[in-house]
Amino acid sequence: MTHSLTLARPLSASTMIAAACLLLVTLACLFGLVWSPFAPDAIDLSQRLSPPTARHWFGTDELGRDLLARIAHGAPLTVAASVATVSACAGLGVFIGGASALAPRWVDASLMRACDIMLSIPALVLAMALAAALGPGLVNALVAVIAARAPAYVRLARNQTLALRREAFVEASVSNGASGLYVLRHHIAPNILPVMLIQAVSDIGGVILATAALGFVGLGAQPPSPEWGALAASGRLFFLDCWWYAVFPGFAVVLTTLGFNLLGDAVRDGLDPRRAARP
Amino acid sequence: MTPVLAAQNLCVRYGGVSSAQAHTAVNDVTIAIAPGMAFGLIGESGSGKTSLARTLAGLQAPSAGRILFEGNPLTPDAIRASAFRRSIQFVYQDSASALNPRMANWRCATEPAHLIDGLTGDARRALAETLFRRLRLPTAALDGFPHALSGGQRQRLALARALSTSPRLIILDEPTSALDATIQAAILDELLALNLSGVGLLLISHDVAVVRHLCTDIAVMKDGEIVETGTAEAVLAQPQSVYAQELIAAAMLEG
């Protein structure tokens, strides 16, 4: 019997909306990747800045490249970069936060004050400053986003570990001779990983937004990369005459962000063992 | 016969560097628990019962006095030795927090046997099945998780865990106070059956009726001290101390 992902209740409205958003983006991207006759970097100057037509559904850019194809090819890049970013944040969080909770008090206090300092600066501002210092580029932008967001994960993992350490089942296990590693693996990790997973899934949307924002201000992925923020940034230059150029990449960001945020809520509901039905 | 566990002039104090700030939870307690005995420790909340029980179980260190395990002083090294861990098991009051919500029931029931005796694989699974049958837990719940069990079943699971190493003595801290009356009676019957099969019990309770049902020997605790001790019949029929008289009279009125 699995307790975690069985459907105890009908899907909630927000789960349906999440599924609809992500499905829509996925379908559009699949179409652009698989069936579209256009390559993302195929220049056709006769079709430059064409509005949406039967031939170019999302219109074209200033070099006549098909926008649907570019957005579709940017999707795996954008989503993979975000998933990698939140995974790195969660990994750092469990490692540093767990160690902090189990370490001597002065180590814990130093790490937590460092987190306080980083959390006191708005994440996007911090990420921009770091990205500007590191230099433009998608990898540098992701490193900056990770550095700006990881403290929240560290704090979460540390607090969860501290609370769990006081539980009677941990004491019972230790009194029966369990090692620190055994406790971490069998008692702490299984109980904090769902929380970290919920945080990570809920954060994917925010990371997509942050990466796109960095791309938009020129600190993230650089043209001709079809990363969504970079696409929207290029489209901004033509916004008054060619609305489609900035709007469709923007839509992709908004729908995907919304979808992942609501998915985070659904994962939280699904993973809470106390909410699952009794057999 | 050498007592399984004995306390000599045991004291437990909490907090405060100066003596004015310190709180004495257990004061100069001397008791001995013979093999197979069902020993009841009664007293009101805050009388130091739980502190005494936890100290006897090696979960916290005494401030003064000593504990003897099978006649030998219980040093920190002796607490960590598998002989002590195997022989003395502890059952918590709140089974919800005593069971890891993300550990499968069968693993939970056999965790001490796994940790102390290195039991793994099929042997561990077989032990879980035996324990489930012995404590009348549905074997369908072997692969389930504690949240899907009822309160009574969870306490049975906690008992199964304590039994997994075939201990000589189980220390139970208010094992039934979180359960309703009929479930409580069923758990007490289970404990009685365990005791008849030779497992020693140290039962901590504020409930005279629970102790009367189960125990052959009783100690009454008040403000950290044992005010009366003896066989259950003697203490319950003719309590000598004023406090024990009040406690038992109050229980009679309720019962």
Side-chain angles (χ1 to χ4, degrees):
Chain A
M1 187 195 86
T2 61
H3 70 295
S4 49
L5 291 172
T6 46
L7 288 177
R9 293 154 295 117
L11 289 172
S12 66
S14 67
T15 310
M16 305 287 266
I17 297 173
C21 289
L22 293 177
L23 196 68
L24 194 66
V25 176
T26 309
L27 281 178
C29 292
L30 270 181
F31 182 84
L33 284 171
V34 180
W35 290 291
S36 169
F38 302 103
D41 49 2
I43 295 173
D44 179 359
L45 290 175
S46 68
Q47 292 290 326
R48 58 194 299 270
L49 292 172
S50 155
T53 59
R55 192 167 142 80
H56 297 287
W57 287 12
F58 286 5
T60 61
D61 67 6
E62 74 274 23
L63 295 174
R65 294 174 292 195
D66 183 62
L67 265 180
L68 175 56
R70 286 184 68 69
I71 292 172
H73 280 84
L77 188 69
T78 304
V79 173
S82 306
V83 170
T85 302
V86 294
S87 306
C89 285
L92 280 172
V94 172
F95 187 73
I96 301 177
S100 180
L102 303 171
R105 187 169 288 183
W106 66 269
V107 176
D108 184 41
S110 318
L111 280 168
M112 285 308 108
R113 292 304 78 73
C115 280
D116 285 343
I117 292 170
M118 296 186 77
L119 286 169
S120 68
I121 307 169
L124 191 58
V125 175
L126 184 58
M128 277 184 187
L130 287 170
L134 291 169
L138 183 59
V139 174
N140 286 349
L142 294 182
V143 170
V145 173
I146 290 170
R149 287 185 176 255
Y153 289 77
V154 171
R155 175 62 60 81
L156 182 68
R158 181 248 185 194
N159 291 352
Q160 294 282 324
T161 308
L162 278 185
L164 282 167
R165 271 182 71 194
R166 284 191 279 269
E167 292 280 346
F169 60 79
V170 173
E171 185 187 66
S173 194
V174 170
S175 74
N176 281 311
S179 65
L181 203 62
Y182 177 93
V183 170
L184 209 59
R185 179 157 166 238
H186 288 95
H187 293 301
I188 308 248
N191 282 293
I192 67 170
L193 281 180
V195 180
M196 302 306 288
L197 182 66
I198 292 159
Q199 167 83 4
V201 175
S202 310
D203 217 20
I204 290 177
V207 169
I208 291 177
L209 211 55
T211 316
L214 289 179
F216 188 78
V217 297
L219 291 171
Q222 299 298 305
S225 164
E227 192 271 328
W228 291 348
L231 284 182
S234 313
R236 185 176 59 102
L237 303 173
F238 304 92
F239 187 67
L240 287 180
D241 302 313
C242 314
W243 58 268
W244 59 90
Y245 192 173
V247 163
F248 284 115
F251 255 144
V253 172
V254 169
L255 279 181
T256 312
T257 304
L258 183 66
F260 276 114
N261 278 347
L262 295 175
L263 186 68
D265 295 347
V267 170
R268 183 190 61 213
D269 291 352
L271 280 181
D272 187 345
R274 289 177 191 87
R275 290 207 198 183
R278 292 186 171 187
Chain B
M1 210 170 352
T2 317
V4 183
L5 208 55
Q8 292 181 340
N9 309 106
L10 198 70
C11 295
V12 179
R13 293 186 200 97
Y14 293 114
V17 183
S18 68
S19 56
Q21 290 171 314
H23 167 69
T24 302
V26 177
N27 190 16
D28 199 22
V29 165
T30 299
I31 53 171
I33 301 158
M37 190 187 240
F39 193 98
L41 192 59
I42 50 176
E44 62 197 3
S45 304
S47 61
K49 309 184 299 282
T50 297
S51 292
L52 177 57
R54 287 176 55 84
T55 310
L56 284 172
L59 296 174
Q60 59 190 64
S63 311
R66 60 179 192 165
I67 299 169
L68 297 178
F69 167 59
E70 296 177 339
N72 302 310
L74 191 64
T75 58
D77 282 341
I79 290 176
R80 281 192 290 273
S82 51
F84 176 74
R85 288 176 167 150
R86 196 180 290 123
S87 301
I88 311 292
Q89 285 285 325
F90 191 84
V91 173
Y92 291 86
Q93 173 174 8
D94 178 12
S95 60
S97 98
L99 305 171
N100 181 348
R102 292 190 186 274
M103 183 177 273
N105 293 335
W106 76 275
R107 289 185 178 278
C108 185
T110 51
E111 193 185 37
H114 172 66
L115 289 169
I116 297 169
D117 299 321
L119 206 64
T120 51
D122 290 345
R124 185 175 176 183
R125 179 77 183 189
L127 175 65
E129 285 169 12
T130 309
L131 289 168
F132 267 53
R133 274 196 293 275
R134 182 165 173 192
L135 287 161
R136 280 176 277 175
L137 279 161
T139 47
L142 276 165
D143 293 305
F145 290 83
H147 59 84
L149 300 175
S150 68
Q153 286 175 325
R154 274 204 295 268
Q155 201 53 281
R156 283 169 193 269
L157 183 60
L159 269 179
R161 178 170 65 181
L163 277 172
S164 71
T165 57
S166 309
R168 299 188 68 195
L169 175 70
I170 302 181
I171 301 176
L172 306 113
D173 182 15
E174 304 267 10
T176 59
S177 59
L179 305 172
D180 63 49
T182 50
I183 310 289
Q184 185 173 345
I187 295 283
L188 290 176
D189 286 342
E190 213 67 72
L191 289 174
L192 196 59
L194 285 180
N195 187 234
L196 292 175
S197 71
V199 183
L201 302 175
L202 171 57
L203 179 72
I204 318 297
S205 183
H206 63 275
D207 189 342
V208 176
V210 165
V211 173
R212 175 189 294 138
H213 186 83
L214 206 59
C215 296
T216 49
D217 291 78
I218 289 179
V220 182
M221 241 181 134
K222 180 175 168 57
D223 297 335
E225 294 176 14
I226 303 241
V227 293
E228 184 151 354
T229 181
T231 63
E233 286 168 10
V235 173
L236 293 173
Q238 289 180 316
Q240 303 297 310
S241 66
V242 177
Y243 177 69
Q245 286 167 4
E246 286 173 4
L247 196 70
I248 289 157
M252 294 295 184
L253 282 178
E254 283 173 22

